[in-house]
Amino acid sequence: LETPDIDSETPSSNTFIPPSIHTPALLSGSSYTHSSPLPSSITSDPTVPCILGVDEAGRGPVLGPMVYALFYLPLAQHHSLLAETHEFQDSKITSAATRSDLMRAVCTSSTDLYENCGWATRVMSARDISAGMLGKNNYNLNAQAMDATIALIQGVLDAGVNVTEIYIDTIGRPETYQKKLERIWPTIRITVAKKADSIYPVVSAASVCAKVTRDAGLEVCWEAEKKGAEEDQWWGSGYPGDARTKVWLKRSKDPVFGWGSETRFSWGTAKEMLEGKGEVKVEWAKEEVEEENGLRMTDFFSKGEGEDELVDWFGKRVTEEMEVF
């Protein structure tokens, strides 16, 4: 991962809160998807060729969600509307105020962006990211990102949008990623490239949707978490290299449970703090806990000699004839 610019990655206190922020899901640590209404320029003519771009925000932080976003509009308006009229650029070189203004325009019904463009986000919670990475089957971050991208694109296609071109900021090797997507959608022109957010305006627009949603999500989580904390106790950008983030992690850590659903336990920063000296060690039992009579829960479902009534009954399909007890 590239070293992030901490200042540009830090949410501002007046970040626009877009409709992609579902507060109950966010605070509960759940992942979710948000889709905008189809723009009138597309509903009025479903056959119009459209271009679609995908980008993400928050891949590297130890705090908060990772957000994948897509943006689409009629192909004929790609450069004129996004690059010339509104000057979309990569969100990392766009100021927080400009990002918020652009996102507000995308979400305001009286604007040309609202009438001609659609967008969607997949908010991947810190809890779910860590559960996948630390699980038995090691659902790594690249695989999670790929699945989120595919699901977002398929959602737009299922809605009836005539997507003819797709541009995506790469995950890993562009060639491998692109070939996989071309096998899924062989009739669509697909381009996967490094720095796509600085090359294709539609990907730049997607990067703004992703970044503003991530910033707003982090801000909403902080408002629920701070509990009277002073401004100098703020958790900052959420990146491991941010001193404010490290201070918050150390100060707020529970010696047994660590942190809440806002923290990615699979990140090295969190692991090292949990495994440091003086921490409470927890070892989870691998076998079922025995009761006082020496029986385990699985014993009730194990068929022994001469035991067939309950085991057989629960093992039969409901369509089979059963004895009434």
Side-chain angles (χ1 to χ4, degrees), residues 15 83 131 160 218 229 234 302:
T15 297
L218 203 62
W234 186 36
S302 301

Short mmCIF file of all heavy atoms in Angstrom, two decimals, residues 15 83 131 160 218 229 234 302:
data_model
loop_
_atom_site.label_atom_id
_atom_site.label_comp_id
_atom_site.label_asym_id
_atom_site.label_seq_id
_atom_site.Cartn_x
_atom_site.Cartn_y
_atom_site.Cartn_z
N THR A 15 -18.13 17.58 6.88
CA THR A 15 -18.32 16.68 5.74
C THR A 15 -19.80 16.51 5.44
O THR A 15 -20.61 16.32 6.34
CB THR A 15 -17.70 15.29 6.05
OG1 THR A 15 -16.30 15.44 6.23
CG2 THR A 15 -17.95 14.32 4.90
N ALA A 83 -15.79 16.06 -16.68
CA ALA A 83 -14.47 16.67 -16.76
C ALA A 83 -14.53 18.17 -17.01
O ALA A 83 -13.80 18.95 -16.38
CB ALA A 83 -13.64 16.00 -17.84
N ALA A 131 -13.44 -10.24 10.14
CA ALA A 131 -13.99 -11.60 10.26
C ALA A 131 -13.60 -12.44 9.05
O ALA A 131 -13.27 -13.62 9.18
CB ALA A 131 -15.51 -11.53 10.40
N GLY A 160 -31.36 -2.52 -15.30
CA GLY A 160 -31.71 -2.22 -16.69
C GLY A 160 -30.86 -1.16 -17.37
O GLY A 160 -31.19 -0.71 -18.47
N LEU A 218 -16.94 7.67 9.01
CA LEU A 218 -16.00 7.79 10.12
C LEU A 218 -16.45 8.88 11.09
O LEU A 218 -16.33 8.73 12.31
CB LEU A 218 -14.61 8.10 9.57
CG LEU A 218 -13.42 7.72 10.46
CD1 LEU A 218 -13.36 6.23 10.71
CD2 LEU A 218 -12.11 8.18 9.80
N ALA A 229 -15.42 13.13 24.81
CA ALA A 229 -13.97 13.30 24.64
C ALA A 229 -13.65 14.69 24.12
O ALA A 229 -14.42 15.31 23.40
CB ALA A 229 -13.44 12.24 23.66
N TRP A 234 -9.45 13.08 19.51
CA TRP A 234 -10.04 12.58 18.27
C TRP A 234 -9.18 11.49 17.66
O TRP A 234 -7.95 11.50 17.78
CB TRP A 234 -10.18 13.76 17.30
CG TRP A 234 -10.91 13.47 16.03
CD1 TRP A 234 -11.96 12.65 15.84
CD2 TRP A 234 -10.63 14.05 14.75
NE1 TRP A 234 -12.38 12.66 14.54
CE2 TRP A 234 -11.57 13.52 13.84
CE3 TRP A 234 -9.67 14.96 14.29
CZ2 TRP A 234 -11.59 13.87 12.50
CZ3 TRP A 234 -9.70 15.31 12.96
CH2 TRP A 234 -10.65 14.77 12.07
N SER A 302 -25.60 -38.20 19.13
CA SER A 302 -24.81 -39.36 18.72
C SER A 302 -25.63 -40.63 18.98
O SER A 302 -26.10 -40.85 20.10
CB SER A 302 -23.50 -39.43 19.52
OG SER A 302 -22.74 -38.27 19.30
#
